[in-house]
């Protein structure tokens, strides 16, 4: 354990051993590495302020001493003028120092946000499914925000608190070593004494963060499911739970603040006792004639200065350690290794032909613990239109997920144009494939923004052409502002069928050789389905297509139908062949009464 509580707090990180905590502290400082020149400047200015302070207080003490001993105003006045100038200079430098510190903090926050976002993208769906949105938001938004106090206030103050006393004590020792020694003993006591609060402080901060994450996650989950909650008349129950979690958070905050004030109280008590003792002892020595009044005044004024950094550090302490605790969560996130990553020699040249093959592919979610596909082998030739059917949970969407390399199979390999998917850069691979799935995600923004997601440089004419082919142009034109209409989060202001047609137009714009359709029409009614099916048929032309469908009427014309059952291929062939075979496909068809 470290000896000084304030420094120890600096190493105080949520969930980590002492060794790991210190590594994280260095990593946190490492984040500021690119700004070392500004940091150095801020520290120099901070020390400059201290020196001005020393000079200013010495002159003040001397001037007051002179006045006591009856000196003329003309002697004292210039000294007071110099003191006034020093106060102005100090204020200006302090402002400058604070601005630099916050500037550094802002830079670090921007860089860190970028890193977190890029990393979350790399971690992909496998990671996101295991975490709650609120928890991730806590690390990426609030957590990063707390680092502002860490870098803007806490860290610079920590450096100043450690360096300033060296100057002041050296100077004090020259003036009077006995009083310097007394003040030094109380200074060290003020730094170390509240150490007994450390373990409970750490525990309470940890609880505080857990309470924030819990409230956030629950709140976001409730907002996202608001419609469902209302439909089930479950709103009140959910509200009560939110209020309970808010109370838990409030209690956690109060405990943290309580400990923080205990720190400040204990430090204050020791410092005041030190100053009082020094004054009493100094006064006795002045009456004995062993100490001049000037020196006593200077020592007492400087005594205050020694403690000031501790007081300031105490006020920044709470926020700073919140930042350090949050950093634990942020580094945890950044240290999570993505399941799927670019190979060092990954190719960024597209495949020679859009053919796909699964070669003895076995895959299970949760690192193989939940088997989904077993020894799967099939091939799709360039331009071929293959359908994948099977009961719910048979592994159809998993095939789509593997093709996009959201996960890698545990055994076997998948190839595109004869080369393993792992040999392509992820961006190259995904630039070759488009997906239309059952629940299309549209972002908050205009129709045009959402369409341009797949091709940012598309002209208005190109947008309209794609929308026409997707049977979407008419309804888009009828929206209040046409292509410039805001469609709300998740496209909430559109119907399911309209969202689907925008998704198709988006894919038409992307214009990739490979197309994956996963239940693209299953969430819309029959009339909509016909319109969407027509758009999909246009989309399929000239592309290698894999269609996943429950409604078998949509796959009758496929070049080949593959039937999956419990992750294995049980049948494969054209519609009429499979009907004649009288297997699972024929059963599925007769259950849907498709002729
Ligand atoms: N992200 C996931 N994590 C863990 N298991 C999963 C995940 N996604 C799917 N599974 C499991 O893998 C199996 C295959 O799921 P998959 O989504 O591929 O089925 P599907 O054929 O697409 O079903 P449906 O027709 O209902 O969409 C199921 O048992 C499912 O519970
Ligand atoms: Mg599915």
């Amino acid at each position: 354990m470290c000896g000084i509580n304030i420094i120890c707090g600096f190493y105080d990180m949520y969930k980590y051993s002492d060794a790991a905590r210190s590594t994280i502290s260095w990593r946190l400082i490492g984040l500021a590495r690119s700004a070392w020149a500004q940091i150095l400047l801020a520290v120099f200015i901070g020390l400059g302020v201290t020196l001005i302070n020393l000079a200013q207080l010495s002159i003040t003490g001397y001037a007051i001493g002179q006045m006591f001993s009856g000196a003329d105003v003309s002697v004292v006045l210039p000294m007071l003028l110099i003191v006034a100038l020093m106060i102005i200079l100090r204020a200006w430098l302090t402002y400058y120092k604070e601005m630099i510190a916050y500037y550094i903090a802002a830079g670090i926050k921007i860089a860190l946000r970028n890193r977190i976002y890029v990393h979350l993208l790399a971690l992909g769906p496998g990671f996101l499914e295991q975490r709650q949105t609120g928890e991730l938001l806590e690390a990426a938004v609030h957590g990063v925000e707390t680092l502002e106090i860490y870098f803007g206030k806490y860290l610079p103050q920590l450096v100043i608190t450690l360096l300033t006393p060296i100057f002041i004590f050296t100077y004090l020792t020259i003036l009077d070593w006995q009083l310097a020694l007394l003040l030094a003993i109380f200074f060290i006591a003020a730094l170390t004494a509240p150490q007994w609060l450390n373990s409970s402080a750490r525990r309470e901060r940890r609880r505080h963060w857990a309470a924030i994450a819990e409230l956030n996650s629950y709140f976001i989950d409730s907002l996202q499911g608001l419609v469902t909650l209302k439909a089930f008349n479950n709103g009140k129950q959910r509200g009560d739970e939110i209020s309970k979690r808010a109370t838990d958070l409030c209690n956690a905050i109060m405990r943290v603040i309580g400990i923080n004030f205990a720190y400040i109280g204990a430090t204050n008590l020791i410092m005041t006792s030190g100053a009082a003792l020094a004054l009493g002892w100094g006064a006795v020595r002045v009456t004995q004639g062993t100490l001049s009044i000037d020196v006593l005044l200077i020592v007492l004024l400087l005594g205050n200065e020694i403690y000031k950094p501790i007081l300031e550090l105490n006020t920044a302490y709470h926020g700073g350690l919140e930042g350090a605790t949050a950093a634990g969560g942020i580094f945890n996130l950044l240290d999570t290794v993505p399941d799927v990553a670019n190979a060092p020699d990954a190719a960024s040249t597209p495949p020679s032909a859009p053919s796909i093959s699964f070669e003895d592919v076995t895959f299970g979610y949760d690192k193989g613990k939940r088997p989904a596909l077993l020894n799967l082998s099939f091939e799709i030739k360039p331009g071929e239109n293959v359908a994948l059917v099977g009961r719910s949970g048979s592994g159809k969407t998993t095939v789509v997920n593997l093709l996009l390399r959201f996960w890698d199979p545990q055994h076997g390999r998948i190839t595109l144009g004869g080369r393993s998917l792992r040999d392509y850069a992820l961006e190259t691979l995904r630039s070759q494939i488009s997906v239309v799935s059952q629940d299309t995600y549209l972002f908050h923004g205009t129709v045009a923004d959402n369409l341009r997601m797949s091709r940012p440089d598309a002209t208005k004419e190109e947008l309209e052409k794609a929308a026409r082919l997707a049977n979407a142009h008419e309804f888009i034109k009828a929206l209040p502002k046409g292509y410039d209409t805001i469609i709300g989060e998740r496209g909430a202001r559109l119907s399911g069928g309209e969202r689907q047609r925008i998704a198709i137009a988006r894919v038409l714009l992307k214009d990739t050789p490979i197309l994956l359709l996963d239940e693209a029409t299953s969430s819309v009614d029959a009339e909509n389905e016909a319109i969407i099916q027509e758009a999909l048929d246009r989309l399929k032309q000239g592309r290698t297509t894999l269609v996943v469908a429950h409604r078998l009427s949509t796959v009758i014309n496929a070049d080949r139908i593959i039937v999956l059952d419990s992750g294995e291929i049980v049948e494969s062939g054209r519609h009429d062949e499979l009907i004649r075979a009288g297997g699972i496909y024929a059963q599925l068809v007769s259950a849907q009464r498709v002729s």
Side-chain angles (χ1 to χ4, degrees):
M1 290 298 286
C2 36
I4 300 178
N5 82 306
I6 301 237
I7 303 169
C8 195
F10 178 62
Y11 289 104
D12 182 355
M13 305 285 175
Y14 175 26
K15 277 187 184 166
Y16 295 90
S17 68
D18 276 359
R21 259 185 247 142
S22 105
T23 317
I24 285 170
S25 309
W26 285 116
R27 288 179 66 180
L28 206 42
I29 295 171
L31 289 178
R33 206 171 29 220
S34 58
W36 66 268
Q38 286 116 308
I39 293 174
L40 218 61
L41 185 63
V43 169
F44 270 127
I45 295 178
L47 293 179
V49 169
T50 306
L51 289 179
I52 293 175
N53 242 350
L54 285 183
Q56 177 206 323
L57 293 176
S58 303
I59 297 172
T60 311
Y62 183 71
I64 298 172
Q66 289 293 304
M67 277 161 67
F68 275 139
S69 38
D72 194 71
V73 177
S74 61
V75 178
V76 179
L77 204 59
M79 294 186 206
L80 295 182
L81 271 178
I82 292 172
V83 167
L85 283 178
M86 283 178 157
I87 289 173
I88 294 170
L89 181 63
R90 204 180 62 174
W92 185 75
L93 285 177
T94 307
Y95 163 81
Y96 202 60
K97 182 192 78 184
E98 296 264 322
M99 289 304 282
I100 293 175
Y102 277 100
Y103 181 75
I104 296 168
I108 292 171
K109 273 169 28 184
I110 293 172
L112 198 58
R113 287 223 162 90
N114 262 339
R115 252 176 82 181
I116 292 176
Y117 181 68
V118 169
H119 195 70
L120 279 175
L121 275 190
L123 287 171
F127 174 79
L128 295 180
E129 280 166 8
Q130 289 162 22
R131 303 290 180 103
Q132 278 192 287
T133 316
E135 188 192 336
L136 293 176
L137 217 59
E138 193 46 44
V141 180
H142 183 204
V144 173
E145 209 47 46
T146 14
L147 291 183
E148 175 169 289
I149 299 174
Y150 185 89
F151 287 106
K153 254 195 146 51
Y154 179 68
L155 202 54
Q157 193 55 49
L158 183 69
V159 177
I160 289 168
T161 306
L162 293 178
L163 291 182
T164 311
I166 299 174
F167 286 95
I168 299 182
F169 280 118
T170 313
Y171 184 52
L172 277 181
T173 311
I174 297 168
L175 286 179
D176 183 79
W177 69 267
Q178 297 170 16
L179 283 179
L181 184 67
L182 177 82
L183 286 171
I185 291 169
F186 276 87
F187 176 81
I188 292 168
L191 265 179
T192 53
Q195 200 191 331
W196 50 269
L197 285 169
N198 248 358
S199 68
S200 46
R202 203 176 297 156
R203 188 183 59 238
E204 293 309 333
R205 262 199 308 280
R206 207 158 48 219
R207 286 187 182 160
H208 176 207
W209 273 88
I212 296 178
E214 267 178 37
L215 176 64
N216 268 3
S217 304
Y218 202 77
F219 195 76
I220 289 170
D221 205 21
S222 307
L223 274 187
Q224 284 174 344
L226 200 73
V227 176
T228 315
L229 282 179
K230 284 181 98 79
F232 281 100
N233 238 340
N234 196 252
K236 167 139 189 353
Q237 201 180 328
R238 206 76 184 178
D240 290 347
E241 183 62 26
I242 287 179
S243 135
K244 183 187 160 295
R245 285 174 193 227
T247 313
D248 286 349
L249 173 59
C250 187
N251 290 338
I253 291 175
M254 289 318 292
R255 283 194 298 270
V256 169
I257 289 177
I259 290 181
N260 200 35
F261 276 120
Y263 261 115
I264 295 177
T267 318
N268 267 347
L269 184 70
I270 297 168
M271 289 185 318
T272 323
S273 313
L277 217 66
L279 174 64
W281 188 32
V284 170
R285 284 175 53 208
V286 169
T287 52
Q288 287 170 348
T290 52
L291 186 71
S292 84
I293 185 138
D294 301 3
V295 172
L296 178 65
L297 283 169
I298 295 171
V299 169
L300 287 180
L301 287 173
L302 284 182
N304 258 341
E305 280 310 294
I306 305 170
Y307 294 129
K308 227 189 204 160
I310 302 188
L311 278 180
E312 282 174 18
L313 186 61
N314 264 342
T315 42
Y317 187 62
H318 172 68
L321 292 193
E322 286 279 300
T325 311
I330 293 172
F331 286 132
N332 245 340
L333 189 70
L334 291 176
D335 288 345
T336 312
V337 182
D339 291 331
V340 175
N342 268 340
D345 52 352
S348 42
T349 43
S352 50
S355 61
I356 294 167
S357 99
F358 273 61
E359 299 171 7
D360 204 20
V361 169
T362 295
F363 170 75
Y365 290 97
D366 296 339
K367 302 200 177 350
K369 280 182 233 140
R370 293 192 59 184
L373 299 178
L374 197 67
N375 305 327
L376 208 67
S377 294
F378 66 89
E379 224 180 298
I380 308 178
K381 297 196 184 70
E384 208 180 1
N385 176 4
V386 171
L388 204 54
V389 302
R391 296 191 177 95
S392 181
S394 55
K396 305 179 296 291
T397 299
T398 307
V399 169
V400 172
N401 286 340
L402 293 188
L403 268 171
L404 286 163
R405 263 198 94 195
F406 287 156
W407 282 273
D408 279 332
Q410 279 90 22
H411 297 289
R413 66 173 202 155
I414 305 169
T415 66
L416 175 64
R419 290 174 73 179
S420 167
L421 295 189
R422 292 175 197 248
D423 293 341
Y424 292 101
L426 286 164
E427 303 71 43
T428 310
L429 172 72
R430 291 172 191 160
S431 72
Q432 299 299 301
I433 305 176
S434 296
V435 191
V436 182
S437 57
Q438 183 176 357
D439 47 336
T440 293
Y441 196 98
L442 297 180
F443 289 89
H444 181 78
T446 64
V447 174
D449 292 340
N450 273 284
L451 289 175
R452 282 209 179 90
M453 247 191 70
S454 57
R455 184 135 59 90
D457 58 352
T459 62
K460 190 142 192 0
E461 289 69 40
E462 285 170 324
L463 294 190
E464 289 194 14
K465 188 176 164 218
R468 278 205 180 86
L469 287 171
N471 285 342
H473 180 69
E474 295 306 319
F475 90 78
I476 295 173
K477 284 302 270 185
L479 292 172
K481 287 186 181 167
Y483 284 78
D484 295 324
T485 311
I486 303 268
I487 53 176
E489 263 179 53
R490 293 171 174 263
R493 293 182 206 155
L494 298 178
S495 78
E498 288 166 345
R499 277 202 292 272
Q500 227 35 358
R501 281 180 272 162
I502 289 190
I504 294 170
R506 197 156 72 172
V507 165
L508 275 161
L509 272 176
K510 194 178 170 195
D511 194 17
T512 60
I514 296 169
L515 177 65
L516 309 176
L517 304 179
D518 188 359
E519 313 276 9
T521 58
S522 62
S523 62
V524 295
D525 59 46
E527 190 188 341
N528 249 316
E529 185 178 357
I531 300 172
I532 292 172
Q533 196 55 52
E534 189 186 270
L536 287 175
D537 288 341
R538 279 190 209 123
L539 183 59
K540 283 196 258 177
Q541 277 164 27
R543 298 177 216 270
T544 307
T545 313
L546 182 69
V547 182
V548 173
H550 265 135
R551 292 198 199 153
L552 302 177
S553 56
T554 57
V555 302
I556 291 174
N557 296 322
D559 295 327
R560 193 152 36 97
I561 298 167
I562 296 172
V563 185
L564 277 186
D565 194 38
S566 304
E568 288 183 278
I569 297 182
V570 285
E571 286 176 328
S572 157
R574 295 187 63 90
H575 171 73
D576 26 338
E577 291 167 8
L578 293 177
I579 292 286
R580 254 181 273 126
I584 291 189
Y585 182 77
Q587 285 169 22
L588 288 172
V589 169
S590 72
Q592 291 186 11
R593 296 202 190 86
V594 177
S595 58

